[in-house]
Amino acid sequence: MRRGIRDAGLSLAFLVIFVLALLGQSIAGHAYLNEQQAQHGDAKVGYLEYVSSSDFIVDVAENWQSEFLQFFLFILATIWLVQRGSPESKQPGDEGVGTDAEQSVGRHARADSPKWAKSRGIRLWVYSNSLLLVMGGVFLASWLAQSIAGRVVANEEGAQHGQPPGTWVEYVVSADFWNRSLQNWQSEFLAVGAMVVFSIYLRQRGSSESKPVGVPHRTSSVEAD
């Protein structure tokens, strides 16, 4: 049990942090909503009613979709693009998907390789691109949830001003939807770009996201190994 927890420590730690942050968001969001309700003389909203509402769902979904879009694009970009000296990049000259021998797939698979890595055809293609496919799928699902919940919120706000409800398509092409999306996207892209560049010149001893402290700036961690 203790060894299992140690071996999965990184994922378990972030799972706990995620749950606590999501819980904190729901409590703070619920309190803020009721403050707004009181200012308008409306009845308070219960906690369970709030966490199942479109207001809460749209706030959560718009952040999820930007995060998974960030990783989807980063995974895709690092197949073909490199940044010399960054541990977030392959070394120059290694661009592309690599050969079957380099990837240990098909007839080059090892005895302990995953089962689908030893197969051929569509199963091998799916497994070879499974990380990108899952990240893209979660992004699309989160984006859809954001658009559906966001439309409900927008229509509720519009009804308060006597406006007719809009369709899903009208909301998806609206300034409100794209303002919500792009304000999250730009920050994610900035963070990824900064990490790629900062990791060329800066170090964190003991972190797998950093090169060894004494490795030259223009050398990637792969080259150093």
Side-chain angles (χ1 to χ4, degrees):
M1 175 66 75
R2 293 177 60 184
R3 182 175 180 179
I5 293 175
R6 183 202 65 185
D7 291 349
L10 188 59
S11 58
L12 289 174
F14 272 92
L15 176 61
V16 171
I17 294 171
F18 162 72
V19 171
L20 291 175
L22 186 62
L23 179 61
Q25 178 188 352
S26 69
I27 294 172
H30 177 238
Y32 176 74
L33 176 61
N34 280 333
E35 288 176 1
Q36 297 295 104
Q37 293 288 98
Q39 291 175 8
H40 293 87
D42 297 327
K44 288 187 175 181
V45 176
Y47 177 76
L48 293 179
E49 181 181 356
Y50 170 69
V51 296
S52 61
S53 69
S54 295
D55 291 278
F56 181 67
I57 294 173
V58 71
D59 287 341
V60 173
E62 73 181 30
N63 284 285
W64 285 17
Q65 58 97 353
S66 64
E67 297 291 346
F68 281 95
L69 175 63
Q70 168 199 169
F71 284 113
F72 173 84
L73 292 178
F74 186 62
I75 293 167
L76 181 63
T78 53
I79 299 173
W80 304 103
L81 303 177
V82 297
Q83 178 62 58
R84 179 179 290 278
S86 175
E88 302 298 318
S89 165
K90 296 183 291 188
Q91 58 182 305
D94 284 348
E95 298 91 339
V97 296
T99 64
D100 286 355
E102 293 171 335
Q103 294 293 316
S104 299
V105 298
R107 65 186 180 87
H108 300 283
R110 301 176 359 177
D112 58 350
S113 293
K115 183 177 179 180
W116 279 34
K118 302 175 183 178
S119 62
R120 297 181 181 276
I122 188 64
R123 288 203 300 174
L124 179 58
W125 182 90
V126 169
Y127 190 68
S128 297
N129 297 280
S130 54
L131 183 58
L132 197 64
L133 291 172
V134 169
M135 289 294 183
V138 176
F139 159 69
L140 291 175
S142 302
W143 179 86
L144 181 61
Q146 177 199 349
S147 66
I148 293 173
R151 172 179 172 260
V152 173
V153 173
N155 282 341
E156 289 174 349
E157 294 175 350
Q160 296 175 1
H161 298 86
Q163 299 175 351
T167 66
W168 178 78
V169 172
E170 289 174 334
Y171 178 69
V172 168
V173 298
S174 70
D176 177 64
F177 176 76
W178 284 104
N179 177 57
R180 282 178 172 270
S181 297
L182 292 171
Q183 67 180 325
N184 285 298
W185 292 5
Q186 55 86 13
S187 63
E188 303 298 343
F189 299 153
L190 173 63
V192 171
M195 180 65 177
V196 169
V197 175
F198 289 167
S199 62
I200 299 173
Y201 305 102
L202 307 178
R203 309 286 189 273
Q204 180 54 59
R205 185 169 184 160
S207 174
S208 63
E209 296 304 303
S210 169
K211 295 182 290 189
V213 178
V215 170
H217 295 324
R218 287 179 60 83
T219 302
S220 73
S221 59
V222 174
E223 293 173 308
D225 293 340

